[in-house]
Amino acid sequence: MTYFPEEVVEHIFDFLTSHRDRNTVSLVCKAWYRVERLSRRNVFIGNCYAVKPGTLVSRFPRIRSLKLKGKPHFADFNLVPPGWGANALPWVEAIARGCPNLEELHLKRMVISDECLELLARSFPNFRALVLVSCEGFSTDGLAAIATHCKWLRELDLHENEVDDRGEWISCFPDSCTSLVSLNFACLKGEVNALALERLVTRCTNLQSLRLSSAVSLETLSRVILRGPQLRDLGTGSYVHDPRSEPYLNLASAFMACKSLRSLSGFWEVTAQCLPAVYPICSNLTTLNLSYAASIQGTELIKMIRHSRKLQSLWVLDLIGDRGLCVVASTCKELQELRVFPSDPSGDGSAASVTEEGLLSVSMGCPKLHSILYFCRQMTNAALIDVAKNCPRFTRFRLCVLDPRKPDPLTSRPLDEGFGAIVRSCRELRRLSVSGLLTDKVFHYIGRYAQKLEMLSVAFAGESDRGMQELMEGCRRLRKLEIRDCPFGDAALLKDADKYETMRSLWMSSCDVTLQACQALAAKMPRLNVEVISDDGDFAGGAVCQVEKLYVYRTVAGPRDDAPAYVWTL
Amino acid sequence: MEAVSGGGARGRGSCPKLLDLIPNGGDWSERDGGQRDYGVAEEQKLELRLGLPGGEDWRAVREEEEPPSVLSLGFLPVRASSNLSSHDRAAPSSPVVGWPPIRSFRKNLASSSFSKPSYPSQNENPGKTDTQEGCRKSLVKINMDGMPIGRKIDLKAHSSYDELSSAVNELFRGLIAAQRNENPALRNQSHGGRRQAITGLLDGSGEHTLVYEDNEGDVLLVGDVPWDMFVAAAKRLRMLKSSELSSSLSVSSPMPTFNSPPDDDPLILLKL
């Protein structure tokens, strides 16, 4: 290979699409390292503090696309206090200086300000795609800057962000903007200029994906659909109207013309009598997300499902009930991914919910099912054992029994055996979340059988350090481990310190780890950042004080310089 | 004496367990099974030392003691009794931070959803939708006679009847204009197609009069009670044609209700 000119080597590397492969070839020899780094177009950084922005830019000066992840996963559930970090600005500044050809930026769980968005919009003349997932810190002013200055914008995807509403911004897309392929602003709350939206959809003839916010009325939706019958992915806004009215009738006929629609979501507020307009589309859908539709009741959900025989991915609220899941099982034979969210998370259990029966019926009826996120009121070992038998192909299995530490209601036993069956049967399992009453035994099973496990989430489980130790010993491919409210302490933390360098990160909160142990870990492993978070910013307790929250991650960037007062890097 | 195990789930030996003395001892063991373990050794010693009358002889105690006395000795950690109470309830007494593990916006979905704003039909039960709304915000439906599409108005966003009146005016002006524009017949009426302010809602002088339905189902004129009482009591609003109001006051004619379908055929109004 070294006899080939660099262009040839580069061309060969073009066929390597996975980050892992490209990382690997760059280690072969200096020549390959050089070719690889100069030809690299996409970079993925799973932890924005693992490397400095400047390092990225100097190694890969020609990147076109960057994907960054910031805060730890548990930040989604308010376990990370505000102001923690994960600021996008240093990255955008560095890339603006060093890689002006940037075309795409994907950020997840990061903080990005309006100024940063403005800088982004002005610094990259070829900028095409901005994807923000679970981010915060910006407002519609920043979006207005993007709309105004990014001439070739193809994709603007705002997925479940916290955005301040400072006014209308859709009208900021200039008349010359015709390149949009994907526009998702479903998470916004503010006013939308319906006319501007319609005009935008009309002139962007390549638009394939459009997800509207709840401020967009059904009437506007019907006009928009008329202009964009080529859409493949639609998120409705507020789905409320008089079913006898003209706009609704128009919508119904507009839907009939949408032959390409494969993915549907939205339904922020719903008039049940208007749902029939959607039925003709349902038969072609492969993706259906009804998890925001808190006002569609079980019977209506079931009607929609009955029309959706081709579904591959279904996200739904537990309003669907076990009965509805039974219908899913008998109708959706192509189903690969199912997510059932709780409709009343803080409730007293009297609201609708699903149980082990729903999961069981889906496992029996859907042979292609391999990814599940399931919030339920209760679960039994027997059901889990059967599910494991029916679906040995799970790659992602996340089960959340709403009541922490709830045992199997039939036997009053912990759920160790059920999860044990899952990991034993599902050899390809990469992601697992466990819940319910669990002892150390479940970790013994996981450590022993879940050899491909990469990410594990544990809450209110285990009895002693042994649990975590068996986990760490056994799961060789573990990359992310997040634990809360478990009795794992210093011995478990320090058992295999070297392992943390093979992982992206470890999160432990409300466990039994002391400051002393964390300091010992930090001293032993200089290439880890051991960050201790104190909720009240107070580290006065001394070496034996319990650590409230611990976040450990490997890094080549050293301790970070933007940590707030309540974060102490040891 | 060897330490007493705190729970059957751990299987640490078959000696009689303290928890067996308590009714539903099996449940207790499960409850403790998931708890933090580091204090258990301490607890066990306490259980023995401060022990039951008669020292370490279990069997004698079992016959004589009543299980509740174990609790009353108070040394079983407070945690245990709180376990009992939390187990009885379906959910923990105080919400656990970050549990269940869903993003914040999902927690607010159920309360911010406007339930089912459904339209008047034979199958409709208006009471069903209104209860949900009443608990959360003061968003009430408001319909205008002659207009097939209603609006919603947040009563709590206003502080007086006058404000309400102008807000209602704002809500419906656009719809009225749209309606007039659609229907050439209406365009030529005396209002001449321009946006006419809706006035006189409260004193009977205008074309429409505002009435409301209270939580007992009665239809009342808006304006009689103090504003706050009105906000608390009003479940729906309606703008009756003042002519209909006067005719309904005669004994023989039917009471204006909130469930009757609009007089005009909406399809004609919207000019198909």
Side-chain angles (χ1 to χ4, degrees), chain A residues 354-372:
Chain A
V354 292
T355 69
E356 72 276 9
E357 284 181 30
L359 181 61
L360 192 52
S361 40
V362 173
S363 76
M364 286 195 285
C366 305
K368 299 191 182 175
L369 190 66
H370 67 82
S371 168
I372 185 140

Side-chain angles (χ1 to χ4, degrees), chain A residues 438-486:
Chain A
L438 295 165
T439 70
D440 284 344
K441 209 142 183 235
V442 71
F443 299 112
H444 169 74
Y445 290 139
I446 297 176
R448 173 115 187 257
Y449 295 109
Q451 289 310 305
K452 294 214 174 150
L453 195 64
E454 296 179 6
M455 181 167 178
L456 178 65
S457 308
V458 182
F460 304 102
E463 303 163 292
S464 73
D465 286 337
R466 258 196 73 206
M468 185 170 162
Q469 284 164 352
E470 294 212 66
L471 207 54
M472 298 288 279
E473 268 168 47
C475 298
R476 264 175 251 123
R477 298 255 190 109
L478 199 59
R479 284 187 10 242
K480 286 180 280 185
L481 179 58
E482 44 187 28
I483 302 173
R484 63 164 295 180
D485 292 273
C486 296

Side-chain angles (χ1 to χ4, degrees), chain A residues 76-77 134 160 241-242 246 269-271 273 291 295 343 345 348 375 402-403 405 412 414 437 463 484 510 512, chain B residues 10 30 33-34 36-38 90 96-99 101-106 109-110 114-115 117-119 270 272:
Chain A
D76 280 349
F77 318 133
S134 290
E160 297 180 356
H241 220 274
D242 182 345
E246 188 165 345
E269 311 158 293
V270 178
T271 305
Q273 292 97 319
S291 66
S295 48
S343 56
D348 53 6
F375 285 84
L402 288 168
D403 192 2
R405 300 199 189 96
S412 297
L437 182 65
E463 303 163 292
R484 63 164 295 180
S510 304
D512 292 336
Chain B
R10 293 173 220 148
E30 296 313 311
R36 294 181 185 198
D37 214 16
Y38 58 92
V96 180
V97 173
W99 192 265
I102 53 173
R103 292 187 186 156
S104 332
F105 79 91
R106 286 197 183 277
L109 273 180
F114 289 6
S115 70
S118 16
Y119 286 80
L270 294 174
L272 277 183

Side-chain angles (χ1 to χ4, degrees), chain A residues 45-51 68-70 84 91 504-505 551 553-555:
Chain A
I45 296 177
N47 174 3
C48 65
Y49 288 118
V51 63
L68 277 175
K69 293 190 181 177
W84 181 83
W91 292 91
R504 186 187 294 172
S505 64
Y551 185 50
Y553 56 91
R554 66 179 176 192
T555 179

